[in-house]
Amino acid sequence: MLAVLHSEFVPKGVRHVSEVTSISVYLDQSSDTDPSGLNHAVNARRGGFLNGTKVATTSGWKPVERIAVGDLVRTLDHGFKEVRRISTSVVVIPAEERRSEYLPVFVPARAAYNGRPVWLMPEQGIALNLSQIDADVSGCSVVSARLLNGVGRFMSQAPGSSFEVRSLFFDEDQVIFVEGGLQAYCPSGLFNMRGRVSGAGYDVADEETGTMLVNLIASMGDMSALANPLGALPAPVPQEPIFPIRPPSGVRRPGRPGRPNAPVLFLRPEWQI
C-alpha cells in the first residue's frame, strides 16, 4: 500500500488545506496460491463515493470529483456544511471476486429516487429514517450499503477492475444527499486526545440490527426509509446577497393609486373599449 500526503505551503494567517491521496493494490498474486484464500479485495471493503456520484451542494448537484475542500454540501439535519478534508483512493477488484461484502452495490435508475444509476461502496453508510419503518420511532440508524444487496433492485457487482473513490469529511458526523436523495453517512474523521472519533451524532447499527432493519424495508417494499425525495431537487444557494431592485429616484411604477396610468396599447379605434 502506498499512501502519499499532498500539502502546500500557505502564508501565515491562511488556513492550511491538504488532500490525502492513497493508492492500494496487491502485487503478490502467484499462480500456485488458491485465489479463494487470498484477501485480494480487502481495499474494496470500505466507504466513499465513486467518481461521477453527484452530491447536493450550494450549486445544485455536483460530481464528487469536482468537490473541493471548503465547498458547502447539503446535510440532512444541519443545513449546508463545509467540506474539511477529502481523501482519494484507487480501488482494485480482481476479476474472480464474487463475495458480496467486497463488491459495490449497484442501484439502478429510479430504484430509490435516483434519476440515474449509482454505485455504493460496500461499507458506505446509508442512513435509514426509522419513522418510515415504525411510526413510533424517530431518528436515523446507519447501516452498511452491502446489507442492501437483494433489496428491491439493489445488487452487489463490480463496476470495473479498478475505479477511483473519494471520501468527504466534515467537522462532525453528517448525513448528506447523493444522487437524488440517497442519505449517505460521512463520519467526521476527527479524533480527540484519547484517540476516539469526535462529533459522533448518528447511531451506527451493528450487523444484526442492520440486517433486521434492511429485512423490514424489503418486506415493506418502500425505499423512502433510505432516501429522501425532498432532496431530489436541491435549489442552488446564491453566494452573494440579494437586494431588491428599486426604480430610480423620482420614477414611480404604474398600476397603483397615485401613480401614472399604464401605457395605452396602440390599437385600432374600433378595438378599444
Side-chain angles (χ1 to χ4, degrees), residues 37 43 51 61 74 106 129 131 181:
N43 59 331
N51 278 5
W61 292 110
R74 184 180 183 182
F106 177 65
N129 187 351
S131 63

Side-chain angles (χ1 to χ4, degrees), residues 9 14 24 30 38 66 78 166-167 187 198 234 246 258 260 267 272:
F9 175 78
V14 179
S24 302
S30 55
L38 294 177
R66 291 176 52 194
H78 306 107
R166 294 174 184 263
S167 299
S198 63
R246 301 181 63 86
L267 302 175
Q272 297 183 10

Side-chain angles (χ1 to χ4, degrees), residues 39 88 121 183 216 221:
N39 201 7
T88 304
M121 290 299 289
Q183 300 168 169
L216 288 174

Side-chain angles (χ1 to χ4, degrees), residues 205-261:
D206 55 29
E207 190 83 5
E208 182 180 355
T209 304
T211 301
M212 178 193 67
L213 292 173
V214 169
N215 289 338
L216 288 174
I217 294 175
S219 62
M220 295 168 56
D222 185 4
M223 296 293 108
S224 61
L226 55 90
N228 187 343
L230 297 179
L233 294 174
V237 177
Q239 299 299 312
E240 300 295 334
I242 299 177
F243 297 97
I245 300 176
R246 301 181 63 86
S249 177
V251 177
R252 307 186 71 181
R253 291 176 295 179
R256 297 183 64 181
R259 297 185 178 182
N261 296 327

